[in-house]
Amino acid sequence: METPPIVSRDEWLAARKELLAKEKEATRARDAVTAQRRALPMVEVDKDYVFEGPDGKARLIDMFEGRRQLMTYHFMWMHDSDVGCTSCSFLVDNVGDVRHLNSADTTLALVSRAPIANIERFRQRMGWTLPFYSSHDNDFNYDFHVTADEDIVAPSQYNYMDKATLESKGIGFFVGKGQDAHGLSVFLRDGNRVFHTYSTYGRGPDLLLTTYNYLDLTPLGRQRYVNEFPHHDTYETGAPAEHCH
């Protein structure tokens, strides 16, 4: 990988100040988008989803754990090999101490379409403590467009694009029958009522990839795509990452 040119300290300072102006502009733009995101209207969730968790059955409202906000990460499952997707695993590995989120009245949970026994086996292998639920027996994945099956929800879509648009971009696999994808959905609770406020897909959850946020500050950058990071317990073995797509 090519490294930056070598210059004098004065030349570096001039280039750094030019970049700083652009960084400030990007920060202000991000603040504006964040404010617009908070102001999005919301939709009441009227379907009674029942999940399987490590402690048994749980409804969507139970997943809040008494807090006002719930963030659910739609975790892809590699059904052929019966393990969690490497890209999604990389994201979960980047999650820090959720007590800070919890103190802000917010719960973070993982949801996957795999059976709960398979999820628990994998969660223990990875050493994760985040709550991880199975949507194997409900329509949650389909209704939030992270699993495609036109016999259940039609027409198929992913990242707010229809099937034809996705196929024209060469990413039609996102709407293949039974194909899981990733995403993040946010909910707000008002008493016993639950509202869907936001969902993001594709590169939207990149904000959660703190490894990338660190590497973006370095001259060598990210160095590899998110699906090229293997499960963290395979680094010493040198096993290649199993691509989710």
Side-chain angles (χ1 to χ4, degrees):
M1 184 176 291
E2 192 172 329
T3 57
I6 300 172
V7 298
S8 69
R9 174 60 61 177
D10 287 343
E11 290 174 301
W12 177 88
L13 186 57
R16 178 65 189 95
K17 287 181 176 179
E18 182 180 348
L19 176 61
L20 178 59
K22 293 179 179 179
E23 288 176 334
K24 287 180 178 292
E25 182 180 345
T27 297
R28 288 191 291 268
R30 185 179 63 186
D31 289 345
V33 169
T34 299
Q36 188 174 356
R37 183 186 301 118
R38 290 197 303 269
L40 273 175
M42 57 189 185
V43 179
E44 186 161 10
V45 178
D46 54 10
K47 186 176 287 190
D48 188 21
Y49 299 104
V50 178
F51 302 83
E52 286 285 344
D55 299 321
K57 295 188 182 299
R59 297 165 60 220
L60 184 60
I61 197 168
D62 298 325
M63 292 163 59
F64 284 76
E65 298 180 351
R67 302 182 183 95
R68 288 208 64 202
Q69 298 187 131
L70 170 68
M71 304 173 70
T72 60
Y73 181 69
H74 303 286
F75 191 108
M76 296 169 60
W77 197 260
M78 298 166 66
H79 296 278
D80 291 344
S81 50
D82 197 26
V83 292
C85 164
T86 51
S87 302
C88 294
S89 299
F90 174 57
L91 183 143
V92 176
D93 285 339
N94 280 264
V95 175
D97 192 328
V98 295
R99 286 177 293 185
H100 302 300
L101 270 179
N102 296 163
S103 71
D105 222 4
T106 303
T107 299
L108 174 62
L110 312 176
V111 178
S112 189
R113 199 165 57 91
I116 189 61
N118 306 44
I119 287 173
E120 274 298 290
R121 169 180 46 77
F122 184 70
R123 185 179 68 85
Q124 291 176 24
R125 169 189 160 183
M126 293 290 101
W128 297 331
T129 58
L130 281 174
F132 203 154
Y133 296 89
S134 169
S135 59
H136 186 261
D137 294 323
N138 66 40
D139 296 334
F140 188 74
N141 270 46
Y142 303 98
D143 291 345
F144 287 88
H145 304 291
V146 288
T147 301
D149 189 335
E150 291 188 330
D151 291 338
I152 298 175
V153 175
S156 290
Q157 63 167 281
Y158 181 67
N159 203 13
Y160 307 103
M161 292 180 281
D162 61 21
K163 185 175 183 179
T165 302
L166 291 165
E167 289 176 341
S168 71
K169 293 177 176 289
I171 49 177
F173 50 77
F174 280 119
V175 287
K177 187 176 176 67
Q179 173 65 54
D180 287 347
H182 75 284
L184 178 77
S185 292
V186 181
F187 303 90
L188 180 69
R189 182 176 66 85
D190 184 7
N192 291 323
R193 301 172 71 188
V194 174
F195 299 89
H196 174 221
T197 65
Y198 180 72
S199 285
T200 187
Y201 310 93
R203 289 195 60 186
D206 264 17
L207 288 171
L208 306 184
L209 297 175
T210 53
T211 297
Y212 270 173
N213 293 331
Y214 282 110
L215 290 175
D216 282 345
L217 301 175
T218 70
L220 297 184
R222 299 186 175 192
Q223 303 176 45
R224 55 179 122 169
Y225 291 109
V226 63
N227 64 356
E228 294 175 326
F229 287 89
H231 290 123
H232 65 241
D233 62 347
T234 65
Y235 274 109
E236 291 185 2
T237 67
E242 297 180 77
H243 294 329
C244 302
H245 293 301

